[in-house]
Amino acid sequence: MNKKVEWDIIVPVKLPISLKNVEPGKLHPSLLRDIPQGGKLHYLAADAWNAMVDAAKKDGIELKPTSAGDTYRSYDSQKAGFLKRYQLQPIPGQSTKTFEGKTWYLKKGMAMLATPGKSQHNLGLAVDIHTASDPKRLKWLIANVLKFGFSWEVVPSEPWHIRYTEGDAVPQAVKDWLALNPKPAGMFGTPAEQKAAAEAVEVKKSKPKVIDVSIAKDKPRIIKDNKGKAVKEAQELLTKHGFQCRPDGDFGPKTQELVKQFQKSKSIPITGEIDETTWAALLS
Ligand SMILES: [Zn+2]
């Protein structure tokens, strides 16, 4: 099971001093910075991320988070995600986590999620990269993450999850990038201005979209190794949603991986099958 992968690159995280006495998920807005693709990161991680995104772009590789929620996560948003995926009612054989003194069971078909306050997303140091296991993107990441102070945390099951490890020692490649891309003055504003801006964003955030499964009622359930027209249609829809997929009408391992990533990005159960919910998400 412990298959060795090429991206087995794990560097322990050195905490920036600014995070030493900070409660995870409760970072002061002055420590966070918006990143251009949506979401926020700790300012040191944001610099490193922006530098890496630029370098990748020069090599024809697009790097972006799977969603804005897969960058910094507040304690409350991590808790909401946790409660969606874990339940108190025991499920035999499912993995468990302890939270608030109780044992929680991972719901069937759900991907594991760190306990609220325990994730490096709660420190603004972690990003989940959109379609990270796309071979070209992964190859680029393997060759470059360390230079920008990033590495993986969970190998081999989470190729998308990288975190900034270098604390206050800004890597040279990031320094070089900062020299060419000086930060605009007043970017952060006063703490009060930042707080107001953060609250405005909270209010603007709309409720998660409820998926109407009825639009998928005529679609067949597709499981691995299925072939045909419906598979081709699903592959084309995956591509339309940004998960580049060859429309060969064959539901092989590559398509399945993209389906899982698509499901993760939509926060629907990660089944690796194209069921009614997945069809509905693909069609909407
Ligand atoms: Zn992650």
Side-chain angles (χ1 to χ4, degrees):
M1 280 311 279
N2 287 321
K3 214 175 83 198
K4 189 94 174 131
V5 290
E6 227 188 319
W7 50 277
D8 194 352
I9 301 170
I10 301 176
V11 177
V13 172
K14 291 188 213 91
L15 270 194
I17 286 173
S18 55
L19 287 176
K20 282 279 153 71
N21 293 307
V22 163
E23 244 184 290
K26 298 182 179 172
L27 270 62
H28 189 275
S30 64
L31 292 178
L32 293 167
R33 189 182 299 168
D34 288 325
I35 57 168
Q37 307 83 7
K40 293 172 193 298
L41 289 174
H42 181 273
Y43 62 92
L44 288 167
D47 285 344
W49 168 258
N50 291 332
M52 186 165 78
V53 167
D54 246 21
K57 199 174 162 194
K58 289 207 175 84
D59 292 336
I61 304 285
E62 187 197 14
L63 296 183
K64 59 179 181 182
T66 46
S67 79
D70 295 315
T71 56
Y72 169 68
R73 288 184 199 136
S74 69
Y75 185 90
D76 289 341
S77 65
Q78 183 87 20
K79 187 172 169 182
F82 184 85
L83 295 180
K84 210 151 69 172
R85 297 188 193 189
Y86 288 82
Q87 63 177 51
L88 285 167
Q89 173 132 34
I91 314 175
Q94 284 296 90
S95 77
T96 61
K97 290 213 189 279
T98 306
F99 174 54
E100 292 180 339
K102 298 188 184 104
T103 301
W104 296 75
Y105 294 79
L106 181 64
K107 294 181 189 171
K108 286 251 163 76
M110 291 287 190
M112 297 209 290
L113 191 77
T115 312
K118 293 279 164 61
S119 166
Q120 273 149 9
H121 287 286
N122 300 145
L123 293 172
L125 298 178
V127 196
D128 293 339
I129 297 183
H130 193 276
T131 48
S133 49
D134 167 73
K136 260 172 68 188
R137 187 169 289 112
L138 189 59
K139 195 174 160 210
W140 192 92
L141 289 167
I142 291 166
N144 292 282
V145 279
L146 288 175
K147 225 173 14 194
F148 294 95
F150 287 95
S151 66
W152 282 277
E153 182 171 9
V154 190
V155 175
S157 60
E158 294 189 10
W160 53 80
H161 176 90
I162 61 165
R163 74 275 194 276
Y164 180 69
T165 62
E166 295 312 291
D168 298 288
V170 177
Q172 191 58 47
V174 179
K175 282 186 186 158
D176 294 346
W177 182 85
L178 286 169
L180 295 171
N181 298 275
K183 283 175 243 178
M187 187 171 168
F188 299 112
T190 64
E193 284 166 349
Q194 290 158 24
K195 191 160 175 267
E199 280 163 4
V201 171
E202 282 305 316
V203 173
K204 251 194 281 168
K205 250 187 237 160
S206 51
K207 275 187 253 163
K209 206 166 73 191
V210 179
I211 295 176
D212 174 14
V213 294
S214 70
I215 59 173
K217 65 179 190 310
D218 300 328
K219 299 291 178 196
R221 175 164 165 256
I222 299 174
I223 61 169
K224 192 153 170 289
D225 298 328
N226 280 172
K227 290 180 179 61
K229 249 171 61 187
V231 176
K232 188 162 182 273
E233 185 190 352
Q235 288 171 325
E236 285 164 355
L237 288 167
L238 279 167
T239 299
K240 214 180 96 188
H241 283 275
F243 296 82
Q244 213 66 39
C245 190
R246 197 156 57 93
D248 61 359
D250 184 351
F251 194 70
K254 276 187 193 151
T255 303
Q256 188 181 44
E257 177 61 29
L258 289 169
V259 167
K260 286 184 189 169
Q261 290 183 21
F262 172 74
Q263 290 170 329
K264 180 175 160 33
S265 78
K266 294 285 171 193
S267 304
I268 56 179
I270 301 173
T271 58
E273 296 177 2
I274 306 178
D275 44 29
E276 203 176 41
T277 309
T278 307
W279 269 116
L282 282 168
L283 289 164
S284 51

